[in-house]
Each structure stands twice: as C-alpha cells, then as structure tokens.
Amino acid sequence: MNHIKCTGLILVAALLNSCSADGSKDAFTAADVLPTPEQVAYQQMEMVGFIHFTMNTFTDKEWGYGDEDPALFDPAELDAEQWVLAAKAGGLKELILTAKHHDGFCLWPSAYTEHSVKNSPYKNGDGDIVREFTDACRKHGLKAGLYLSPWDRNHADYGQPEYTTYYRNQLRELLTRYGEINEIWFDGANGGSGWYGGADEERRIDRATYYDWDSTFALVKQLQPGVQIFSDAGPDLRWIGNEHGFAGETCWSTISTDQLVIGASDQGYLNTGDPEGDRWITGQCDVSIRPGWFYHASEDGRVKTPGELMDIYYKSVGRNGVLLMNLPPDRRGLIHETDATHLAALYGMVRQVFASDLAAGAEVKTERKHVVGRSYRPGNITDADPETFWAAPANAEVKLVVALDEPRTFDHIVLQEPIRFGQRISAFRLEVPMEKGLWKEIARGTTIGYKRILQVDPVTTGEVRLVIENALYPPAISALGLYHSGENH
Ligand code: FUL
C-alpha cells in the first residue's frame, strides 16, 4: 500500500481526493499504479554508478571463465575512497560494486567458497573489498549497492539446486554484514560454458524457474527492507533494454511483469514500458564510460567524451530514466584519471545548462479552470517547489501558458509530473506565439514521467504554451523550466 504525505498526515492514496493544502474538496485522484516512496526517492537521485572490478581487470577479459587463479588478483594501490570521491565529483549519488561477477571470484571473504580475495595476494588474503567499498560510500555520503552475479562459472554445483542455496547464502552474507544496502543488482546474463569446478562444460538453466526469484526477492527484502531490487523484471527497478544508457522516447514507468522473464525479456518492451502495465518498475539505464564494463588499458583512448556523456544524460534522465554509469577501476585499483575527469565534466555541463530557470516565478494561465483549491493552481509549475503541482479538472486537452516577465532566450525545456500520483501524460506539445494569435510548435513528445528534457533550437519569446493532448487520467504537472545552455546549436 502506498502512503502519501498530506498536510502532516499520512493518508492512503485512495483518499487523496479529500486532501488539499487549503482543506477544499478536490477532484484529483491518484492513478491505479503508483511508485513506492523508495522508488520515488531512488529516481530523484537521477545519476548512480557502477564499479566493475574483479579478476577480469587482471586477465584483460570481460567474462572470466571461472578457472582463474586467485594469485592473479593484486590491486596494490586500491583505494575505495578514490572511487567514491570520483563518483561524487561526477554527481553520482550511489555506487554499485560487482561483489561477484560471472567468473565467481568474490571480492569479500565468503565463508562458502575458496574462490575469493582471501586466497589472493591482496592484503595477504586479509582484504575485504566489499567492506572497504561500503565504508567509503558511507563516509562520503553515497548510497551503496551490490551486484551478485546469478551465473557462476566457477561453482561446481551451478545448474543444480545446491547452487541456489549457495547463492542465497552469499546474499545473506552481503545483506547482513555491511550495513544498509540501497540496491541489489541481478544480472540477466546466465548459463553457458564454464569451468564449473573442473567439469569444463556447457550448462543451461531454465531462466524462468531455476532461481525461484520470488523467494530470492522475499529473502532480500526481509534482510534489507528498504533495498531496491534491480533485474530485467524488477520488482523495483528494471533494465531499460540496452547497454547504451538510452531510455525510449516514450518511457512509461508502468509495465506488466507477466511478460517479463529475467534474462529473456522483450528489450523493446523494457525500453518503452507499457501505459497499461499493472506494476511500477522504474527504468534504469546502464552504460559504461568505456567500451567494456571492465578496465582494459587498450581502451584508455576510448573513454566517452563529456559531450557523449551529456547525450546519454539527455536520453536517460531526460527521458524518465535513472542513469547508471559504470566506472571500472584499473589494475592499480583506482579509477583512471581520464574517466574521472570526463565524468566530472559531464556533471559540470549538467550544472551549467540547468543553473538558472528562466521560467522561475513566472505567471501561468490555463484556458480551462484548474481544480478548485489553491493546492493545484497553475502557478505551482513555476514555483521551484517539486512537491507542488497543477492538476487539470478533467481528462481533456488542456493548454497552459507561461508568461515570462520579459522575452527570454532558451534552448532547453524541462517538464515533470508529480509521479507519486502516477504517470499520466501520453502526448504533449510546446508552442511559442506568432503574430495574429497563432502559435508555432517548437517541441513535441509523448511521455513525461519524473523528468522530460527537450532540447530545442534557441528561441526568444515572452510566452510558452504547453498543450497536453492526451493523458491516461486528468493530467498534472509539477514543473516546467526553461534554460539556456549558452551554446549556439
Ligand atoms: C551484463 C553482463 O554480462 C556484463 O558483464 C555487465 O556486468 C553488464 C552490466 O551486465 O549482463
């Protein structure tokens, strides 16, 4: 059950239409499918990060076979605080570490296997990189997340029921020893050739049944009630369907899970979500700052440029997704200088473009009467308070005119819906006035969700009109912002 904060009281969503800041009876109702407060908080982070680091870093591979000698793992200068500080300087609010990748090597001294840091030269076998990582995240105010690969090419029992017990034992270690874990990441890649304790063969599993995901998720939530679970199929966060970091132009946070199988879902469906979906599963857009997920010296010259990273930002955060950017530490155990510099430059660009909202405080008029009650007035979309919003009285086309105090030049428009009441809008356009009462379209889109960023050719105008053409419910908007990047497109 979702709860909503309302004038200091906690009310259930279904009672929403009796709740407004000035006590009046309003007709605004929440959608049928709503995010949890944890999902809303997660989306508000906007940018989070991945740390892909393991044996592969030392063998120059992307997928280890599972027969690698722990003696190879020796990151002599490893400094988890350096990872966290690089992420923080790049605007990332959470980091997720590959505690175990497909090759089965564990970055913590698991009691259930010998294939771990405890048999490596790292700190003479006394190291625990999950501990160093979670401590560093906490010290510098980032949330910590963990990736535990379901596929394990080292383990002799992979493919048998015994392995799923091993997997859950490892989850229990990770979710009870290291304090609060904000996210757990379940990869869809699964089954194939591997070492498997020396069997050195091909093994396939039934993706739909082998892990009994429902029981695994229940265990995870029992051990960490606030955790966000990522997989192709959620339940909290879903894969966006590609590894470029691109959400769909149309991107619903709603989706139906009966069509989703972890590791075998329709990638197009994951990319756009489904307006008729019966679950809220936020889209997470994973991408690596380099061509590979793990560090390879040969890719030092191929780190994505700040401009490329900005394009990814527009196509993830700007399309109702959360950006998950991978930073792979090198053999020293440090994030490479180029990666850190480019990520910091991205964050600098984001802050520069969105530094000053030219629509802040602007008067807003609608041609239709807004919902009775000050809580939903049109001016709420320019009041710089993301909690307040405007809501339409009915589900029909509606036009909102933002009147600037003087003509302004902008090239970015940001729209936001109050997603705690659901995702509603399915078609909109933006216009500026021409002569004789005519309006010219400058941008158009389908979904908005938590945030939609539109880049337009620079335009100078005293008025901007948002036309909401279609919505699933009476539409609502929490923010409309106008920004000028200072660049000539
Ligand atoms: C994929 C894995 O196979 C890659 O190695 C990487 O971990 C990526 C994030 O997910 O499915």
Side-chain angles (χ1 to χ4, degrees):
M1 173 89 53
N2 292 290
H3 290 81
I4 288 151
K5 235 190 171 131
C6 176
T7 55
L9 298 170
I10 303 292
L11 298 180
V12 279
L15 297 178
L16 187 70
N17 51 5
S18 64
C19 159
S20 77
D22 56 5
S24 58
K25 279 256 176 197
D26 290 333
F28 183 68
T29 50
D32 286 344
V33 183
L34 300 176
T36 61
E38 289 82 9
Q39 285 175 311
V40 174
Y42 189 91
Q43 186 139 21
Q44 286 168 342
M45 293 196 293
E46 298 194 354
M47 296 203 290
V48 299
F50 236 152
I51 299 284
H52 271 70
F53 184 64
T54 192
M55 191 64 88
N56 293 341
T57 314
F58 297 87
T59 55
D60 216 9
K61 287 186 186 164
E62 279 290 304
W63 282 8
Y65 197 67
D67 60 346
E68 293 78 15
D69 185 347
L72 296 172
F73 186 81
D74 190 14
E77 297 171 50
L78 187 138
D79 180 1
E81 285 194 42
Q82 189 258 2
W83 307 349
V84 172
L85 291 172
K88 195 171 175 174
L92 310 184
K93 305 289 188 271
E94 177 198 88
L95 275 181
I96 303 164
L97 172 67
T98 52
K100 178 185 86 167
H101 202 250
H102 307 327
D103 58 84
F105 183 75
C106 299
L107 296 186
W108 81 104
S110 172
Y112 301 99
T113 180
E114 292 304 305
H115 199 53
S116 84
V117 279
K118 74 184 173 199
N119 290 314
S120 80
Y122 181 63
K123 297 197 170 169
N124 295 318
D126 291 330
D128 181 345
I129 295 173
V130 173
R131 170 85 57 211
E132 292 184 54
F133 166 76
T134 49
D135 284 352
C137 286
R138 251 158 242 141
K139 179 170 174 186
H140 297 289
L142 261 66
K143 305 265 186 206
L146 295 170
Y147 166 116
L148 184 73
S149 172
W151 184 23
D152 190 321
R153 303 174 95 187
N154 172 264
H155 205 277
D157 293 336
Y158 182 77
Q160 301 301 315
E162 290 77 10
Y163 172 75
T164 58
T165 304
Y166 170 77
Y167 189 67
R168 288 187 193 156
N169 283 337
Q170 293 205 316
L171 274 174
R172 213 172 265 117
E173 287 183 327
L174 291 174
L175 298 176
T176 56
R177 286 188 188 172
Y178 301 99
E180 193 183 318
I181 300 300
N182 197 53
E183 176 169 356
I184 186 98
W185 216 91
F186 293 120
D187 200 321
N190 242 310
S193 62
W195 180 244
Y196 304 126
D200 192 7
E201 62 188 9
E202 181 96 5
R203 288 185 185 174
R204 300 272 162 205
I205 49 107
D206 180 339
R207 291 167 194 271
T209 57
Y210 180 56
Y211 295 98
D212 183 6
W213 283 117
D214 286 346
S215 308
T216 305
F217 295 161
L219 171 69
V220 167
K221 292 274 179 182
Q222 178 206 324
L223 299 174
Q224 294 272 344
V227 75
Q228 293 291 284
I229 299 179
F230 168 95
S231 81
D232 283 9
D236 302 303
L237 305 166
R238 74 171 195 262
W239 186 40
I240 208 65
N242 62 68
E243 294 183 341
H244 309 299
F246 298 165
E249 281 261 7
T250 294
C251 185
W252 294 96
S253 295
T254 46
I255 198 159
S256 285
T257 43
D258 51 12
Q259 306 215 27
L260 303 179
V261 175
I262 297 177
S265 299
D266 178 332
Q267 294 176 215
Y269 186 67
L270 289 172
N271 195 238
T272 59
D274 182 351
E276 290 170 9
D278 57 2
R279 299 286 300 280
W280 185 285
I281 310 181
T282 310
Q284 188 197 63
C285 311
D286 64 332
V287 63
S288 183
I289 199 162
R290 289 168 171 252
W293 290 99
F294 289 91
Y295 177 83
H296 308 287
S298 59
E299 294 179 350
D300 281 353
R302 298 178 64 199
V303 178
K304 290 186 176 68
T305 62
E308 288 172 322
L309 297 176
M310 191 69 188
D311 183 52
I312 293 169
Y313 174 86
Y314 288 129
K315 290 175 176 158
S316 53
V317 177
R319 291 182 179 174
N320 187 37
V322 175
L323 173 55
L324 171 54
M325 178 62 65
N326 179 56
L327 305 169
D330 60 19
R331 286 187 187 174
R332 296 172 298 174
L334 299 174
I335 307 282
H336 191 277
E337 293 72 4
T338 309
D339 306 38
T341 306
H342 288 197
L343 184 71
L346 163 70
Y347 192 37
M349 286 168 84
V350 169
R351 281 178 298 179
Q352 185 251 319
V353 171
F354 300 103
S356 164
D357 179 4
L358 303 170
E363 192 192 339
V364 186
K365 291 171 280 191
T366 106
E367 292 163 10
R368 300 172 63 90
K369 265 190 160 317
H370 58 82
V371 175
V372 179
R374 278 189 307 127
S375 47
Y376 306 130
R377 63 191 182 85
N380 288 345
I381 73 171
T382 53
D383 71 354
D385 180 351
E387 294 298 308
T388 62
F389 61 96
W390 157 85
N395 194 5
E397 180 172 286
V398 59
K399 300 182 174 117
L400 284 164
V401 177
V402 178
L404 306 173
D405 47 5
E406 56 182 271
R408 302 278 197 166
T409 304
F410 60 86
D411 56 10
H412 286 72
I413 303 155
V414 176
L415 296 170
Q416 294 192 271
E417 287 183 75
I419 57 164
R420 62 193 189 280
F421 303 114
Q423 189 178 346
R424 313 161 82 91
I425 294 167
S426 58
F428 67 92
R429 65 178 191 270
L430 287 138
E431 301 173 326
V432 293
M434 315 252 292
E435 68 288 348
K436 298 190 186 140
L438 297 175
W439 293 79
K440 179 182 151 201
E441 182 175 310
I442 56 167
R444 134 176 317 278
T446 51
T447 49
I448 295 175
Y450 165 73
K451 186 176 270 191
R452 183 69 196 256
I453 304 175
L454 299 128
Q455 293 172 267
V456 296
D457 289 333
V459 54
T460 304
T461 180
E463 278 184 329
V464 177
R465 186 160 83 167
L466 169 64
V467 183
I468 299 170
E469 298 174 353
N470 260 306
L472 305 183
Y473 298 87
I477 294 279
S478 55
L480 182 153
L482 303 173
Y483 301 88
H484 189 216
S485 66
E487 281 171 23
N488 292 317
H489 288 226

